[in-house]
Amino acid sequence: MTEHRRGLLLAGSAYLMWGLVPIYFKAVASVPAHEILAHRIVWSIPIAILLIVALRQPWQLREIVSKPRLFGTLILSALLVSTNWFIYTWAVTHERVLDTSLGYFINPLLTIALGVLVLRERLSGVQKLALLLAAFGVGWLIYARGTLPWIALGLALSFGLYGLIRKRTAVNAINGFLIETAVLMPVALIYLSWLHAGGQGQFVHAGWWLSLLLVFGGVVTAVPLSLFAAGVQRIPLTTLGFLQYLSPSLVFLLAVFVYHEPFDHDRLVSFACIWTGLALLTGHNLWQRR
């Protein structure tokens, strides 16, 4: 298997898992979003260690820590991805799944824009039109609602920048993820200890099933993100942009047909513009391959 195909398989698996992850967050919706985030960070670390051992990945921790610039880059990526986690968790647990879908529909187009602006990847006329359609879709929603779609934009921007940083970071995917979560762990542990000292923590006190689900948050977090980080290093950002709408498509179907969130006229116009842009990108990509 070529590196390009391996990258497509890894990144595609990550997006498939992310497309179904609202089911998990709905199951733990009784827990505050910031507590869920803290548990995701803490329980991701043993999962990451198990992945390194099981997949026989090299340990790069000493190498990373000994390079201040590399370590600083991973601290920045940790802040970006934790911001993304919190926005997503809050949105799903507050009946805003459709907004997260919009954010991740915008994300592929933003990723393509970052690939052009930062990595100097070439952009065709069709891709430019697709980006303009996406911008119009977001602009329409701002005009119609009178407010910024902060959930969608926050998710797209934080994860787009995270993907860009990880693509330019020469670190094994799982090792990089382990450092990111280890950087965040002290704050997460202090916060969870403070919650439990005040009798507000849900872990253990809310029953064994909910506690087990919170622990499972480590799997939900570590596995797809490690797959994504491994995939993004093997394929161009423009190719990654085409692959990324698998996840928001699944999330959209869950939001409308399972969780019955309202899909009004303003959202229809916004989504239609972005969907048209994505359709143009897909058709253009297929035509180029032929």
Side-chain angles (χ1 to χ4, degrees):
M1 183 183 294
T2 65
E3 282 296 291
H4 185 267
R5 289 185 178 181
R6 184 176 287 109
L8 287 175
L9 179 61
L10 290 167
S13 299
Y15 285 117
L16 179 62
M17 295 179 69
W18 277 325
L20 299 175
V21 85
I23 299 170
Y24 166 78
F25 288 112
K26 286 290 185 180
V28 295
S30 60
V31 181
H34 38 73
E35 186 175 353
I36 296 173
L37 174 61
H39 278 289
R40 290 181 72 181
I41 293 168
V42 170
W43 298 112
S44 289
I45 292 177
I47 299 300
I49 293 172
L50 286 174
L51 286 172
I52 290 174
V53 174
L55 299 177
R56 297 180 180 179
Q57 298 294 306
W59 291 92
Q60 295 181 302
L61 307 187
R62 183 178 298 178
E63 177 186 347
I64 294 169
V65 175
S66 65
K67 297 179 179 178
R69 184 173 181 179
L70 179 59
F71 187 56
T73 300
L74 287 174
I75 291 175
L76 177 58
S77 66
L79 293 174
L80 283 169
V81 79
S82 61
T83 300
N84 183 272
W85 292 346
F86 178 77
I87 295 173
Y88 188 88
T89 303
W90 186 93
V92 174
T93 56
H94 286 77
E95 313 298 330
R96 304 287 293 274
V97 179
L98 204 53
D99 288 335
T100 69
S101 174
L102 177 62
Y104 286 116
F105 272 122
I106 296 171
N107 185 233
L109 297 161
L110 179 64
T111 299
I112 291 173
L114 288 172
V116 173
L117 295 173
V118 180
L119 303 182
R120 305 299 179 185
E121 296 177 0
R122 293 185 178 183
L123 195 67
S124 68
V126 173
Q127 290 172 319
K128 290 177 183 177
L129 178 59
L131 291 175
L132 286 174
L133 283 168
F136 179 82
V138 174
W140 171 263
L141 206 57
I142 295 172
Y143 170 77
R145 297 288 177 84
T147 58
L148 280 172
W150 67 270
I151 292 174
L153 293 176
L155 288 173
L157 187 60
S158 59
F159 200 71
L161 290 172
Y162 174 77
L164 175 64
I165 288 174
R166 286 308 304 268
K167 181 173 179 62
R168 304 184 74 180
T169 305
V171 175
N172 173 279
I174 306 177
N175 277 268
F177 175 73
L178 179 58
I179 290 293
E180 288 170 343
T181 47
V183 165
L184 299 168
M185 186 182 67
V187 177
L189 284 176
I190 290 170
Y191 178 69
L192 289 175
S193 300
W194 176 78
L195 278 181
H196 284 277
Q200 301 175 48
Q202 298 290 310
F203 190 66
V204 177
H205 301 297
W208 69 271
W209 176 245
L210 187 58
S211 299
L212 185 62
L213 284 176
L214 289 173
V215 173
F216 188 70
V219 177
V220 170
T221 302
V223 173
L225 197 64
S226 296
L227 290 172
F228 169 79
V232 75
Q233 293 179 342
R234 291 173 167 83
I235 55 178
L237 279 182
T238 46
T239 302
L240 188 69
F242 300 124
L243 192 62
Q244 283 178 342
Y245 58 87
L246 171 62
S247 171
S249 297
L250 292 173
V251 173
F252 175 83
L253 294 174
L254 286 173
V256 175
F257 297 106
V258 178
Y259 303 126
H260 306 293
E261 292 189 8
F263 188 58
D264 55 24
H265 175 265
D266 296 332
R267 280 179 169 170
L268 176 61
V269 172
S270 180
F271 271 84
C273 291
I274 294 168
W275 285 334
T276 303
L278 290 172
L280 286 172
L281 287 174
T282 304
H284 179 66
N285 189 41
L286 291 174
W287 178 79
Q288 281 188 321
R289 289 183 181 278
R290 287 180 182 178

